[in-house]
Amino acid sequence: METDCTSNDLPVTGVTAPLPAGTRLLHIGPHKTGTTAIQGALFAVRDLLPEHGVVFPAHSRHPMEAALAACARPAMIGDTAPTEKHWTRLLEQVEATGGKTSVISSEFFADAEGDDTIARIVEQLGGERVHGLVTLRPPAKILPSQWQQYVQNGLRMGYDNWLTHMLRKAPYEQPTPSFWRRHRHDRLVERWARAVGAERITVVVVDDRDREGLMRTFEQLLGLPENLLQPVPDATNRSLTLAETEMLRNLNKEFRGNGLPDELYSKLVRNGAVMHMKNACSPSPEDVKILTPEWAVEAAAEIGAGMMRRIADLGVRVIGDPGLLSAVPKTPALDGIPAPRISPEVAARALYGALAAAAESPVRHSTPAKARTVHQTSSKELVRVLGHRCLKKLRRR
């Protein structure tokens, strides 16, 4: 990736003055920068916010469908396609806040492409009342988090190979073109600054050492009492371990190789097996984490340095320590990375999650297995056919 050298002489602020009353605070993420934590904390106290002049205008923690519709982006694999109605409904909720400050938060706003799309979103949310907020974390820490998230959405490529494509194979777009659209943070801030205005953009550099620092920053921006926003436990948002991710990645290869429909993947794998595994199994200290090789960490740190230099040139407000984006995380010395081994309990939980999802919400699909005699069918395909027959029986029940 193209990089620049940088310095840390950025307009950093400490205690932050509240935004003007009636602001539409648009938190655009991007992914893996604390968005889920903020959304959960705001949603948990949504009934208390109005007495402080703030409204969280959404019926759920994360209005993902509305953001995807606004950005003209597709749904996650197998999910229901977002429609303009989702976006219109959110706009109506924002409009109903009147003169109060409102918070609209979705990391999927970072996926918006084109000045026209972004300008339309800003105009529909209130034009000059909109204040854009971008939360940033070091690219070196985002890489493993995003890779395992892509695997949860069907990616089949291993981590080392994926890093090579993202960092060494221009134009760095395959197999996940959304990665640098989201995480070339300088270009992301620049796109939104053109529509919102640099004076109404705040960049917050998240410090992972201060777990509640982002909460306190949001409280200051919104004029909320200190400690009103608190972390909400959410096991479904935890990252997968290396073993869990590798198990899922190999399942993805089997799934795609057998031509099963996306809807089946969404219901049984992502929202069945993976969700139940996250909820029921907490990682242990013995679990192997996803470790980024030194060459990739150093490349990511250089990219982070160049991004902050460009962000400084945009004239936006920066809260936090910009030097964190170019810091090289220290990793313990290892004699070799242990082989990822998934425990029988975790595998059983994942399997149960898929079966429970099938029983609760049978999947209709239009890609049945081709009819063959048993002796013409491999054992792998027999398992697939058996799965289809189980689904049919579940539907009858």
Side-chain angles (χ1 to χ4, degrees), residues 3-226:
T3 63
D4 284 343
C5 57
T6 188
S7 63
N8 290 335
D9 54 346
L10 294 170
V12 183
T13 62
V15 177
T16 305
L19 296 168
T23 295
R24 273 58 186 287
L25 181 61
L26 178 62
H27 180 204
I28 66 173
H31 296 65
K32 301 302 176 184
T33 60
T35 52
T36 300
I38 284 297
Q39 291 156 5
L42 287 167
F43 191 69
V45 297
R46 64 191 182 283
D47 294 335
L48 302 177
L49 294 176
E51 64 184 80
H52 303 290
V54 179
V55 179
F56 188 72
H59 290 310
S60 63
R61 174 192 64 78
H62 178 202
M64 179 176 66
E65 293 84 1
L68 288 171
C71 299
R73 304 300 301 170
M76 296 180 71
I77 178 173
D79 285 0
T80 302
T83 68
E84 193 64 24
K85 289 183 180 179
H86 291 106
W87 176 234
T88 301
R89 189 179 304 120
L90 180 60
L91 289 176
E92 291 171 349
Q93 292 172 309
V94 172
E95 186 63 28
T97 63
K100 289 185 170 63
T101 296
S102 54
V103 187
I104 305 96
S105 175
S106 174
E107 54 269 38
F108 285 97
F109 284 116
D111 287 350
E113 288 188 283
D115 288 353
D116 290 344
T117 297
I118 295 174
R120 175 179 54 80
I121 292 171
V122 172
E123 182 61 29
Q124 290 177 327
L125 283 174
E128 293 185 354
R129 294 179 64 178
V130 173
H131 188 102
L133 177 64
V134 185
T135 43
L136 304 183
R137 290 179 70 234
K141 292 188 175 182
I142 288 176
L143 285 166
S145 297
Q146 272 282 225
W147 172 70
Q148 61 87 31
Q149 193 66 52
Y150 283 126
V151 172
Q152 291 184 52
N153 198 40
L155 182 68
R156 291 164 284 171
M157 184 177 287
Y159 189 41
D160 286 351
N161 196 8
W162 181 78
L163 288 172
T164 299
H165 279 74
M166 292 297 99
L167 297 168
R168 288 179 167 174
K169 290 193 175 182
Y172 319 105
E173 293 178 350
Q174 298 302 325
T176 51
S178 64
F179 180 78
W180 287 118
R181 186 189 311 125
R182 298 168 178 173
H183 298 297
R184 270 308 305 222
H185 299 150
D186 50 343
R187 296 172 189 167
L188 174 65
V189 173
E190 183 178 17
R191 288 197 298 271
W192 285 88
R194 283 198 294 267
V196 179
E199 71 282 1
R200 296 201 305 276
I201 291 284
T202 295
V203 173
V204 179
V205 181
V206 178
D207 188 344
D208 290 340
R209 297 167 298 182
D210 183 2
R211 292 186 176 276
E212 296 189 14
L214 188 56
M215 305 280 180
R216 307 291 82 83
T217 298
F218 264 78
E219 288 169 348
Q220 293 174 17
L221 286 169
L222 297 170
L224 297 175
E226 189 174 1

